[in-house]
Amino acid sequence: MPRPAAMLVRPSVVATVAVAAVVAVGLFALLTVFAGLRTAGWLGGGTFLALTAALVTRAARQAGASTLGPAGSVTALRAVLVGGVAGLVVQEIAGSRPAPTTTLVALTVAALLLDAVDGQVARRTRTVSELGARFDSELDAALLAVLSVQVAGDLGVWVLAVGGMRYAFVAAGWVLPWLRGSLPVRRSAKVVAAVQGVALVVAAADVLPRVASTVLVAVALAALVWSFGVSVVWLARHRPGAVPREGRIASFYEDEGSPRAGGDSDGERGAAGETPDDDGERGAAGPTRPGWRRALGATLTVVAVLVLGAVLVAPQDPGAVIPEVYLRLPIEGVAGLALLLLLPRRVRVPVALVAGALLGAWAVLTAFDVGFATVLARPFDPVLDRALVADGVEFVASTYGRAAEIGAIVAAVVLGVVLLGGAALAARRVVTRADVHRRVVLRALGVLGAVWLVAVVAGTTIAPGVPLAAASTAAGATVRAHITLTSLRDADAFAAQSRADAWSGVPAPDLLTALRGKDVVLAIVESYGRAALTDPGLAPTVTPVLDRADRDLPAAGWGARSGFLSSSVVGSGSWLAHATLLSGLHVDNEQRYLTLTSSTRFTLSAAFRRAGWDTVAMQPGTTRPWPEGAFYGYDRAYNVRQLGYRGPSFGWASMPDQFVLDRFDQLELDKPAPRPPMMAEIDLVSSHAPWQPLPHMIGWDQLGDGSVFDGQLPNPPEPPGSTAESQARAGYAQSIAYTMDALTSWVQRSNDPNLVVIAVGDHQPAPLVTGPGAGRDVPMSIISRDPAVLARTASWGWTDGLRPPPTAPTWPMEAFRDRFLQAFSGP
């Protein structure tokens, strides 16, 4: 016997939605564990459920219903299942992971089975309502739409007609009001609707051959066209009687102010039909504003839409910044505005302000991404890269002066405030103006959503490689979430890795035995990358210097072997590359660097110190105390103030490399005998950006305190028509040629018969110089007068001379420490 409705527990609409949200989080968590649901799936499924909740809450408010009843609770559970299906499908569309067929089918079948349950519950509990029926039918349509998107990926874009037929019918009613009339219940319509679900599930399950699935879905579509055709014919024949009966609930697609929702025909708020807009003026029914004010308001609204649209579609890759990119259709804007318009009016503007501010923050992060991609060939990591922002400010100060530093900070702060505040105000403007014409705007958003979906499935582009359908913000948020989670997990894993070191316990007598009595210089050349040897625009400047050295060094009794290392960084972050080279660990962010330098990791320089070498670091780019020197195992470290340079400043590096090498001779190598063997890291930084102005070689005996370089400034003017890119490329090539000329010339004039020089680049220059896809490889050479030293590297496969060929072996930079210690230690 049916239970009386009065005896039933009737949770409120808000309570039902809240419980469904909790269940949805649990379902999505299970899908994450067992079906690989990722951020894209969470965003897609969550957006679907948020829109569903907003639509249901709004429809209940229009109908004056405080509860969805027991059947509505079952339908809400079915909506959660459909949200899970939507999440899996969105994830596959995003390309992050294919939807697991078994899970997808299981969720769909469960949702279809519950479709039969909620109707039975409503009838048995005597709680049948038009609100529940509308909720049920619209959810059926949504499930078919989601399934059609999934199947269209395999069978073709035409399958979207199955899921889009219902929405096309509703849209047609906006133009032809008689199509919105009430239809009689037809059993055939229910059967046809069920056939659509079955056909799409079978096709999605991939249990039939492709041809059979195509035929099945085509037959189902034909039946659907016939069913809608019957409805259209019936409505056309009964046009005079198509007026909705009094008390009928408004459709989910109708505005609160529409005639069928019981409001005014102009869609304005309240009985008076007027809505104060954000300027304090009346809406469509209020006093007419002057023409210039209307034009100004319309202009501001258009500008606000363009600003928000530009933020949503702006690429994080500077190479993708082309005009066509800003013509894409962002689904985040479509779904976000629709959701805002479906919220209660009292919270709509505050939520819009918050959403706009978040978009402004996203614009700031996008700007950081573009900057980091330009310099470091990777996106900005908010967790690990915060220290690099301060380093960038310091670089500006040391290169261009204190005034430039202050100007850069002020400009950055102002831009950040403008982006956050401007985006918030733009979102408020768009929402308040859209609220005045909500019915039209919601319909337009529905059409745009359909266009976006078709464009995704069909792969529509507006330019080569530029799809019409954009989800840049959602995709970027997915990538950023992955980067952040990886960064947070990385700290502990790297700390454990830094503690595992087989070389740390090797006794001094067994270390570096093949280099006993040798002075070893590790010369690290700033930004010396493979591009300097292979890029047709750079190599003609650099390789003649190396070729000349390959002729002159053997004549003076020197030999050289060369290969490549793959650096941990690109464009900047020299200290990270140095840490990688000396520690044998991949150090590519500040967190790893701090973890490493606070550990007891055994570095290459510390190995020399343990084995009896006197260790020193020459660091002309360091302007303050360097506590990391103790970690690396250096007895002494010379910074820029301790080298006694009195010449002009050459950009960030200040002093020329030739002067640094000469000061190393005076301070260390020329000490009176007896002295212990020397191991030195010498940073050669004249090739550090911005590569202008540049010093030129002078006679070694003329260096003095460096004041001789005064006559080399300023550099000659750039040729007419040169661009920033061409100037950077030319300056970079000249700087590498200068540094390698200084280094090889210094080696040739050395009076130390036991000198061993290891010359290596720390990273490739910025993509502004190399262009995209240049890689991370840097050249490395070992130079010595002792054939026995070079013989120790025979197993490395390195080639003779200072120019390794493109086919030369390439190791990860973190592999060098272990290979070097293994080659030069032991018998």
Side-chain angles (χ1 to χ4, degrees), residues 357-570:
L358 290 175
L359 280 180
W362 181 258
V364 173
L365 290 176
T366 299
F368 273 106
D369 281 337
V370 172
F372 270 65
T374 301
V375 177
L376 303 177
R378 63 174 177 83
F380 173 67
D381 187 333
V383 176
L384 303 178
D385 288 338
R386 289 171 293 180
L388 295 182
V389 177
D391 291 328
V393 173
E394 183 178 348
F395 169 72
V396 172
S398 60
T399 304
Y400 302 106
R402 180 67 174 170
E405 176 190 14
I406 295 174
I409 294 174
V410 171
V413 171
V414 170
L415 180 61
V417 171
V418 169
L419 286 174
L420 266 67
L425 293 176
R428 175 180 179 270
R429 177 78 192 185
V430 170
V431 168
T432 53
R433 299 312 301 164
D435 187 32
V436 176
H437 308 285
R438 187 188 314 160
R439 178 170 51 173
V440 174
V441 172
L442 283 173
R443 290 175 177 180
L445 292 174
V447 173
L448 290 175
V451 170
W452 185 91
L453 192 58
V454 173
V456 166
V457 177
T460 306
T461 60
I462 55 178
V466 182
L468 170 62
S472 302
T473 301
T478 301
V479 172
R480 195 169 297 284
H482 175 72
I483 291 175
T484 301
L485 292 175
T486 301
S487 300
L488 294 173
R489 290 194 298 262
D490 179 69
D492 293 337
F494 182 75
Q497 185 182 2
S498 65
R499 291 191 294 267
D501 190 356
W503 286 98
S504 61
V506 176
D510 296 334
L511 284 171
L512 302 165
T513 54
L515 292 174
R516 298 289 182 183
K518 306 290 186 185
D519 290 320
V520 179
V521 170
L522 176 61
I524 302 180
V525 182
E526 175 69 36
S527 302
Y528 182 28
R530 182 192 284 257
L533 306 181
T534 59
D535 189 305
L538 305 175
T541 302
V542 177
T543 55
V545 174
L546 302 180
D547 291 341
R548 184 172 64 249
D550 280 339
R551 293 191 303 267
D552 295 343
L553 285 172
W558 297 89
R561 294 271 180 87
S562 301
F564 288 108
L565 301 181
S566 184
S567 179
S568 59
V569 293
V570 172

Side-chain angles (χ1 to χ4, degrees), residues 12 17 41 143 184 227 251 254 531 549 624 653 692 747 796:
S12 67
V17 170
L143 178 58
S227 179
S251 166
E254 293 167 355
R624 55 177 180 251
Q692 292 291 347
V747 170
W796 295 359

